[in-house]
Amino acid sequence: MRVNFTVNGRPQEADDVWEGESLLYVLRERMGLPGSKNACEQGECGSCTVRLDGVPVCSCLVAAGQVEGRDVVTVEGLAEYAKERTEHGSCGTGSCGTPLDAAKKWQAKPTQDSQTGEGVELSPIQQAFIDAGAVQCGFCTPGLLIAADELLERQSDPSDQDIREALSGNLCRCTGYEKILDAVRLAAARQGEAV
């Protein structure tokens, strides 16, 4: 089958997709977007998390055919997605996210490469992960970034419990999670200062 969908603001087409092929496989192997990692293939680790119509999902569990006509944001497009969200406003009340209509209108700018992430200023959560030292081997980082970005979109000042719950579907074997929590707190504080 042929699947037409949007990835990081760009219309994409995948041909000869077989019925059991996962979105993760299509992103990594057909589209050259290696950010989402292939680890457990059971939706347990969160390393393959992407946003599907704004909602974090484990791309290993989503059949590629299910994304027909839908919008996918991977870690490679996260910075541009966050920038676009900031430019078009966010309620910052802790109770809203990007409306579906707004997410569908999002377009990556041609001067930056949302395919590879090159030439794009990092999103606030990506920069906070670096500044807080939350990255070690990096295998879990893309999924954690996607989940944390979605949390900060919904809640501008999350509690530690909110952060733990939002990241609970993501496993990290290196860090012990404290630096990751610090990074989300840092991004939330910087987001609060910017408002």
Side-chain angles (χ1 to χ4, degrees), residues 2 12 25 47 50 55-56 69 94 114-115 122 136 142 148 169 185:
R2 174 177 291 150
Q12 298 287 340
Y25 183 86
S47 66
V50 298
V55 178
S114 62
Q115 180 76 10
L122 296 176
Q136 286 194 17
R185 289 183 201 113

Side-chain angles (χ1 to χ4, degrees), residues 131-195:
D131 295 344
V135 178
Q136 286 194 17
C137 84
F139 206 80
C140 66
T141 305
L144 285 163
L145 288 169
I146 295 286
D149 182 70
E150 192 272 339
L151 166 67
L152 294 174
E153 182 180 299
R154 284 185 292 113
Q155 291 184 265
S156 60
D157 188 24
S159 69
D160 281 356
Q161 182 59 36
D162 295 331
I163 296 169
R164 290 176 197 279
E165 185 174 328
L167 302 182
S168 65
N170 298 79
L171 300 178
C172 176
R173 296 176 190 234
C174 299
T175 64
Y177 298 98
E178 252 340 284
K179 295 289 186 184
I180 294 167
L181 297 173
D182 289 346
V184 179
R185 289 183 201 113
L186 178 60
R190 288 176 176 168
Q191 181 174 292
E193 290 172 4
V195 173

Side-chain angles (χ1 to χ4, degrees), residues 26-167:
V26 169
L27 292 171
R28 288 182 59 82
E29 305 303 328
R30 293 178 180 265
M31 298 188 172
L33 294 168
S36 303
K37 302 300 186 233
N38 186 6
C40 72
E41 294 185 357
Q42 297 176 12
E44 295 291 329
C45 71
S47 66
C48 68
T49 303
V50 298
R51 291 185 79 167
L52 179 59
D53 292 337
V55 178
V57 299
C58 290
S59 60
C60 70
L61 297 179
V62 176
Q66 290 178 290
V67 299
E68 176 68 35
R70 297 175 79 183
D71 184 57
V72 175
V73 176
T74 68
V75 72
E76 290 91 348
L78 185 61
E80 193 61 30
Y81 182 79
K83 182 179 176 185
E84 189 75 17
R85 181 176 62 228
T86 301
E87 289 174 0
H88 289 94
S90 171
C91 72
T93 63
S95 62
C96 71
T98 302
L100 183 56
D101 290 340
K104 287 181 178 178
K105 292 177 186 170
W106 174 73
Q107 287 284 322
K109 307 290 186 283
T111 56
Q112 286 112 14
D113 191 353
S114 62
Q115 180 76 10
T116 64
E118 292 180 46
V120 178
E121 183 178 328
L122 296 176
S123 73
I125 190 65
Q126 289 170 314
Q127 189 62 55
F129 262 62
I130 292 169
D131 295 344
V135 178
Q136 286 194 17
C137 84
F139 206 80
C140 66
T141 305
L144 285 163
L145 288 169
I146 295 286
D149 182 70
E150 192 272 339
L151 166 67
L152 294 174
E153 182 180 299
R154 284 185 292 113
Q155 291 184 265
S156 60
D157 188 24
S159 69
D160 281 356
Q161 182 59 36
D162 295 331
I163 296 169
R164 290 176 197 279
E165 185 174 328
L167 302 182

